[in-house]
Amino acid sequence: MAFNQLLFPFIFLPVSVLLFAVVPGRFKKLTLLILSAVFIAWGNPGDLLLIFLSVAFNYASACEIAYLKKRRQAKKARNVLIASVVVDLLMLGFFKYYNFAAENVGALLHANIAKNTMAAPVGISFFTFSVLSALFDVYRDNAPAPKNPLDFALFVSFFPKLSSGPIIQYKDMMPQMEALSVTKDRLESGLRVFVVGLAKKVLLANTLGLAFTAVSDLPTAELSMVTAWIGALSYTFMLYFDFSGYSDMAVGLGRVFGFHLPQNFQYPYCSDSVSVFWRRWHASLGAWFRDYVYIPLGGSREGDGKTVRNLLVVWLLTGVWHGANWTFLVWGLYHGLILILEKFVFAGVIEKLPTAVRRVVSFLLVTFGWVFFFSPGLGSAVGFLGSMFRVTRFIDSTALYYLGGNWILFLICIVGCTPVVRNLAVNLKKRGYRWFYVAGAAVFALLFILCVAGMVSDTYSSFLYAQF
Amino acid sequence: MNKKGFSAKKILRGVSRLTKSPAMQEWLENSRRPGLWVTAMVLCFATVFTALTLLLPKKDFSEKENRKLAQFPAVSWAGLADGSAARDTESFFADQFTGRDFWIQMNLRFRRLLGQKENGGVYIGKKKTLFLIPSRPNEAALNKNLSAMEAFASANPDVRTYVAIIPNAVTVLKDKLPAFAPVPDQAAQMQTVAEGVPSATFLDVTEALLAHKDEYVFYRTDHHWTSLGARYAFEEMAAKMEITPAEDYDVYPVSTTFSGTLASKSGRFKTLDTVDIYVPHTETEYNVTYLDTQEKAPSMYKKEALDAKDHYTVFFGGNYGRVDINTTAGTGRRLLLFKDSYANCMIQFLYPCFDEIVMVDPRYYYDSAAPLITQHGVTDVLYLYNCDTFMTDTSLADALAAPAANPADAPGLPAPDAEAASPADAEAETKAADNAVAGNADSAGKADD
């Protein structure tokens, strides 16, 4: 079930909140766990089994690691850690990368390697990283072993964050398991964040998706420069509003049930360098790689050579984490390379540039990166980038048409990517304008109503007679 | 309104007086919690609409979307296990959601406010005109069709072959398109067709239609042309085909409430179309034989269609693999017509000029059409398609291919007297029946273009 399907805000959410609020304290976690199981099974009942197996295996591993560490058998604990991590990564790899590997190795050997036809369980990239953080945290004594298997299961499968994050780390989530409850304050602020996220997804991202699909359906060779930019920008905005919208919804829902999930996006497109961008874009993934890969590898403390190596490793993995395709690998390395250049080559130059220039340059670099992200292959990515610089064919009527249909949306998106609206709201609140509260509520009401219209329309399909 | 005391001013004054009242002041003071409002609203809204959706009587059919609406799924273990029960429940909830049409209109309005000029593959043009956005040509299939057409023409040198590709509304009504809307160059596409079949006479009706672009030559809510458009095209074609059109016609508006496929696709129901039929002043009589169903009729018009959703199917009730029209024209000319649905409203102009018209819609015709030439003594072959369909058609070449080597392998090759529907046609019927919706179910024709 997706948060932006009618059934979620209209039935699943109210029922969940109500149930959670009325059951006595000691059953609240169990209630959430059952709700999460229903949420998972709703999409594909088979996922429930895989997630259960992962939970059981990693719970046992974490307990074993803690037990061995207590008995000062560090080496054994290390072996258990390594074995468990390998098992988790194999499961992730099987569902995510096996087909890609089979395809490429098969092409290389001119052999036909059997493909996996099982669909990957929902949120496997996310919950695998959750369980890995648990293993590492327990091994490194950052957090105690899970006492209650139900707590651990809830940590892995908590439905607001299961399918798309944020990737909350074990050491951050487990201490929050105590004293779960619904309060009026949390309910109101949680739902507010949820509605904002829903609006980002339904009103902006889905509408931008239409423009992006339209442009990407055109043959690359026919694109004028402006059309290509409209395509690239609509994807850039769409990805942000889609992903940050989903994260907002997760954070808001988490808050309703008393969990503080990490903010995943902090106006990333306003960053004045790509390094800063990565601290603000999908921050929970960046934090994960920092805590569990970059720093254990030595981080930036062991000389420039090792730092460069570590950065490349992290960015290679970041790229691959996003999907099994050469384009993601190139995209990851592209960002790794930019970060290395920012850190070692252009640090002095960048400092002297005005902030506005730095912001624009960072935004453009990120936008070029997304071209690799959305292209089906490296060839088409290069072709698309070529169209973005095709000065000989600057603009055509197609570009004017899409510009006419989307400029208002782009303006809204540009404003939405900045903290302007939030700052305005904070300011007005500080001044204590009474009408502000009424107006604020009206805005939220309007957003929610428009979201409902959008969610209903997403299911609009006219019957088009016999189409063979 | 003013007299009843509901003017905007009065309401505003009332509201401002209310906000200044001490009780309201205190309430406002205590309600600096927009989140609470949102919470209350979201929860109330969710409760009310969920209750209404679940309690109100369920609808079976959406006139606007022209499809059956999902019902609450039957509960079964299999359905629960494979997740289909979950998906069906989602469809049920969305389809039966209270005020569904209203919400869809609201979203459309929101997108229009943002400046978007298309929805569901339809351009929302000026003067309430909707345009089907043409698909990208299927180059491979097009080349195959063109070579097959050329081969067919060369194989029958004594038969006159004509190709009429009708430009779509996006070409003819260009000035009603949204500004800068990208459309294919249909003139160039027709050029390709003309050059691809050098043995045929290409009938270009673009100018004839353009000359009347301010008249009602295309439906505003449907992707077809009107009978008037077909008439102008026919007059242009008749000269080149050396046939004599009727002097005049009686025009009967048979429907003034036609809401076509483009309205359904785009969700925009701003206007209704009129369907006219043209009855020529002629002595010639005719009868129609539907070979798919063996049904015979004295008229090409199907009144029942006017009670259903798609009023364009008043012409023949839709598309069939093969329909024969026998007339008393006595001109000595017999026409084999390969066509899509644009031809359906053209027959009313064509029939007084031919002794027989053998109408083949290759999309639903699974035999070879080659033997029809000798079987029916065909003197003229006409390909009549609209440009968009022709550029994407994948069935014409197969119909033009030589028949199977052993006639016994091709069952139901229709002989003039003992005509039997082929099994393939029966299959098409089943497919159509599967897809047919309440309105279209009784007329088994396929209304696809």
Side-chain angles (χ1 to χ4, degrees):
Chain A
M1 189 176 348
F3 300 154
N4 57 322
Q5 267 169 329
L6 283 173
L7 218 46
F8 185 84
F10 279 87
I11 295 188
F12 190 86
L13 180 60
V15 170
S16 307
V17 174
L18 203 67
L19 267 181
F20 183 77
V22 297
V23 297
R26 61 206 156 102
F27 294 123
K28 285 201 194 293
K29 273 186 284 194
L30 185 67
T31 309
L32 275 186
L33 194 59
I34 292 169
L35 287 168
S36 298
V38 170
F39 185 85
I40 295 166
W42 191 262
N44 179 10
D47 292 354
L48 210 51
L49 180 70
L50 276 160
I51 293 173
F52 172 76
L53 286 177
S54 175
V55 166
F57 170 76
N58 286 291
Y59 174 74
S61 300
C63 291
E64 179 71 7
I65 290 170
Y67 173 78
L68 290 170
K69 291 212 68 157
K70 214 187 221 166
R71 313 268 312 260
R72 304 202 174 278
Q73 294 175 309
K75 209 168 170 195
K76 270 194 186 169
R78 197 184 154 86
N79 290 342
V80 172
L81 173 75
I82 291 171
S84 313
V85 169
V86 166
V87 169
D88 285 330
L89 288 181
L90 276 178
M91 178 160 147
L92 178 67
F94 174 71
F95 281 109
K96 225 172 146 178
Y97 307 108
Y98 173 77
N99 281 352
F100 176 70
E103 205 171 279
N104 282 284
V105 173
L108 216 60
L109 302 175
H110 301 289
N112 222 339
I113 302 176
K115 291 258 175 78
N116 162 39
T117 53
M118 257 192 294
V122 58
I124 186 167
S125 309
F126 292 91
F127 77 71
T128 304
F129 271 37
S130 293
V131 294
L132 290 179
S133 85
L135 297 176
F136 291 131
D137 283 347
V138 171
Y139 177 76
R140 290 202 252 135
D141 295 323
N142 286 338
K147 286 190 196 76
N148 185 343
L150 293 184
D151 286 7
F152 189 75
L154 184 58
F155 156 67
V156 177
S157 66
F158 184 47
F159 74 83
K161 58 123 193 155
L162 174 81
S163 58
S164 308
I167 305 169
I168 182 170
Q169 297 177 6
Y170 177 78
K171 60 174 185 281
D172 297 328
M173 181 145 170
M174 290 312 267
Q176 302 184 32
M177 289 284 176
E178 305 318 316
L180 293 180
S181 67
V182 182
T183 68
K184 220 162 55 177
D185 286 348
R186 281 207 292 254
L187 187 64
E188 69 162 59
S189 74
L191 282 184
R192 210 173 51 212
V193 177
F194 178 81
V195 169
V196 170
L198 191 65
K200 280 180 171 179
K201 165 82 184 132
V202 174
L203 301 182
L204 296 181
N206 288 358
T207 315
L208 287 162
L210 298 175
F212 173 69
T213 318
V215 173
S216 64
D217 280 351
L218 299 170
T220 315
E222 283 176 22
L223 294 179
S224 68
M225 189 168 147
V226 175
T227 316
W229 276 93
I230 293 172
L233 287 178
S234 36
Y235 189 82
T236 302
F237 288 131
M238 175 182 84
L239 197 64
Y240 170 66
F241 287 109
D242 193 279
F243 199 179
S244 80
Y246 223 81
S247 279
D248 285 349
M249 288 190 264
V251 170
L253 292 171
R255 205 178 286 173
V256 167
F257 297 108
F259 281 103
H260 176 80
L261 298 177
Q263 266 303 335
N264 229 0
F265 293 86
Q266 287 128 23
Y267 307 104
Y269 289 154
C270 296
S271 309
D272 59 2
S273 73
V274 177
S275 322
V276 173
F277 170 81
W278 276 105
R279 264 173 261 146
R280 298 176 171 194
W281 175 279
H282 203 182
S284 65
L285 181 74
W288 195 97
F289 274 113
R290 182 194 63 221
D291 291 354
Y292 301 113
V293 181
Y294 185 68
I295 291 174
L297 282 174
S300 51
R301 285 161 301 169
E302 296 180 19
D304 288 353
K306 278 222 170 142
T307 309
V308 169
R309 182 204 67 182
N310 296 344
L311 279 171
L312 283 177
V313 168
V314 165
W315 288 99
L316 194 83
L317 292 176
T318 304
V320 172
W321 181 86
H322 283 86
N325 197 330
W326 298 114
T327 49
F328 292 113
L329 195 112
V330 168
W331 171 79
L333 288 178
Y334 166 83
H335 275 284
L337 210 66
I338 292 177
L339 293 193
I340 290 167
L341 291 176
E342 271 186 359
K343 204 172 170 111
F344 295 109
V345 184
F346 296 121
V349 185
I350 292 170
E351 241 168 58
K352 283 180 203 139
L353 290 172
T355 319
V357 175
R358 292 204 304 244
R359 281 189 179 155
V360 170
V361 171
S362 313
F363 178 76
L364 292 179
L365 287 172
V366 169
T367 304
F368 296 141
W370 293 138
V371 174
F372 286 96
F373 206 81
F374 70 64
S375 294
L378 286 178
S380 57
V382 172
F384 198 94
L385 281 172
S387 328
M388 289 174 73
F389 292 97
R390 191 175 290 148
V391 261
T392 51
R393 213 174 149 203
F394 182 69
I395 197 162
D396 59 1
S397 66
T398 309
L400 287 174
Y401 174 73
Y402 288 116
L403 214 52
N406 293 294
W407 67 272
I408 301 175
L409 191 61
F410 280 0
L411 278 186
I412 296 175
C413 288
I414 291 170
V415 174
C417 285
T418 66
V420 168
V421 176
R422 196 195 55 182
N423 292 347
L424 186 73
V426 169
N427 237 321
L428 289 174
K429 206 170 176 180
K430 237 187 252 162
R431 295 189 191 184
Y433 288 128
R434 254 178 229 133
W435 55 265
F436 166 74
Y437 297 96
V438 183
V443 167
F444 277 106
L446 186 68
L447 281 182
F448 186 68
I449 285 168
L450 284 174
C451 283
V452 174
M455 286 187 286
V456 175
S457 294
D458 284 345
T459 65
Y460 182 85
S461 63
S462 68
F463 180 82
L464 296 173
Y465 311 109
Q467 273 189 337
F468 305 137
Chain B
M1 282 305 241
N2 275 345
K3 280 170 197 158
K4 286 178 194 166
F6 278 117
S7 76
K9 250 187 193 167
K10 277 190 188 170
I11 292 175
L12 271 179
R13 211 178 301 146
V15 168
S16 90
R17 202 174 299 155
L18 199 65
T19 50
K20 280 176 190 150
S21 71
M24 192 69 183
Q25 290 282 342
E26 193 192 330
W27 180 71
L28 273 173
E29 209 59 50
N30 291 333
S31 58
R32 299 191 158 191
R33 309 274 290 271
L36 265 189
W37 293 52
V38 179
T39 312
M41 182 194 65
V42 171
L43 293 180
C44 286
F45 198 85
T47 318
V48 168
F49 271 82
T50 304
L52 285 176
T53 301
L54 297 179
L55 296 177
L56 286 180
K58 310 290 172 283
K59 281 194 200 159
D60 293 328
F61 183 75
S62 162
E63 265 294 316
K64 297 212 155 153
E65 291 172 68
N66 193 30
R67 66 178 176 93
K68 279 186 173 165
L69 295 174
Q71 304 297 315
F72 194 80
V75 180
S76 75
W77 284 115
L80 286 175
D82 67 10
S84 65
R87 281 191 299 279
D88 292 348
T89 310
E90 266 154 26
S91 312
F92 156 76
F93 193 71
D95 277 6
Q96 302 292 348
F97 195 76
T98 302
R100 179 176 171 83
D101 290 342
F102 163 80
W103 292 112
I104 287 166
Q105 289 307 311
M106 181 193 273
N107 190 57
L108 194 62
R109 193 156 291 189
F110 170 69
R111 292 206 165 146
R112 298 264 304 151
L113 264 179
L114 291 179
Q116 303 218 325
K117 297 287 196 303
E118 64 177 272
N119 200 40
V122 172
Y123 284 133
I124 297 165
K126 295 159 197 160
K127 302 203 168 155
K128 296 175 182 169
T129 310
L130 302 173
F131 298 85
L132 184 66
I133 303 177
S135 324
R136 294 209 151 260
N138 180 342
E139 302 281 350
L142 176 65
N143 289 332
K144 208 174 138 200
N145 286 345
L146 292 180
S147 352
M149 283 159 75
E150 177 59 20
F152 198 77
S154 323
N156 301 292
D158 302 333
V159 175
R160 281 164 287 197
T161 303
Y162 305 97
V163 180
I165 304 298
I166 313 301
N168 295 97
V170 287
T171 300
V172 178
L173 309 183
K174 225 178 184 115
D175 46 359
K176 294 200 180 80
L177 277 170
F180 306 115
V183 289
D185 181 355
Q186 294 196 317
Q189 292 180 343
M190 283 183 231
Q191 187 68 27
T192 313
V193 176
E195 283 162 9
V197 198
S199 308
T201 310
F202 190 82
L203 309 173
D204 189 349
V205 300
T206 312
E207 286 306 322
L209 287 170
L210 279 174
H212 298 282
K213 67 183 162 66
D214 294 325
E215 292 169 48
Y216 192 30
V217 288
F218 283 92
Y219 295 111
R220 286 186 289 260
T221 67
D222 197 66
H223 60 294
H224 291 108
W225 58 351
T226 61
S227 297
L228 182 63
R231 180 187 172 176
Y232 289 133
F234 171 71
E235 279 163 0
E236 174 75 20
M237 288 158 62
K240 287 195 188 154
M241 290 172 79
E242 292 166 2
I243 51 179
T244 322
E247 295 274 301
D248 203 359
Y249 302 88
D250 291 327
V251 184
Y252 301 100
V254 292
S255 163
T256 50
T257 55
F258 176 33
S259 176
T261 52
L262 299 181
S264 285
K265 274 187 118 175
S266 64
R268 210 167 152 79
F269 301 91
K270 290 275 165 189
T271 188
L272 292 171
D273 273 307
T274 300
V275 180
D276 289 331
I277 61 173
Y278 280 61
V279 177
H281 291 177
T282 172
E283 306 276 285
T284 307
E285 289 172 14
Y286 69 95
N287 62 61
V288 181
T289 312
Y290 296 86
L291 282 96
D292 302 20
T293 55
Q294 288 306 302
E295 182 198 341
K296 283 186 198 286
S299 162
M300 70 180 83
Y301 306 113
K302 288 229 166 158
K303 257 199 190 134
E304 313 89 89
L306 301 173
D307 303 325
K309 157 98 182 160
D310 185 357
H311 297 177
Y312 184 76
T313 56
V314 73
F315 304 104
F316 294 96
N319 296 314
Y320 295 86
R322 191 175 140 204
V323 177
D324 285 1
I325 297 125
N326 288 291
T327 77
T328 59
T331 56
R333 291 176 70 171
R334 290 163 177 273
L335 178 70
L336 173 57
L337 173 64
F338 294 99
K339 58 110 211 165
D340 65 13
S341 56
Y342 266 51
N344 296 1
C345 70
M346 173 69 99
I347 304 296
Q348 48 191 348
F349 306 107
L350 277 172
Y351 83 84
C353 310
F354 293 94
D355 292 353
E356 182 175 12
I357 298 174
V358 179
M359 229 170 32
V360 171
D361 192 327
R363 292 167 302 176
Y364 311 106
Y365 187 76
Y366 303 94
D367 293 323
S368 168
L372 297 175
I373 298 269
T374 45
Q375 282 166 6
H376 292 265
V378 167
T379 58
D380 297 79
V381 170
L382 170 63
Y383 297 90
L384 181 62
Y385 278 84
N386 76 80
C387 193
D388 184 25
T389 313
F390 191 76
M391 289 296 136
T392 52
D393 179 83
T394 52
S395 53
L396 180 56
D398 291 337
L400 294 175
N406 181 357
D409 290 342
L413 256 192
D417 315 80
E419 286 146 334
S422 74
D425 288 339
E427 186 193 320
E429 286 299 316
T430 336
K431 279 192 222 163
D434 285 345
N435 288 299
V437 285
N440 300 64
D442 27 11
S443 63
K446 302 98 186 170
D448 186 23
D449 53 357

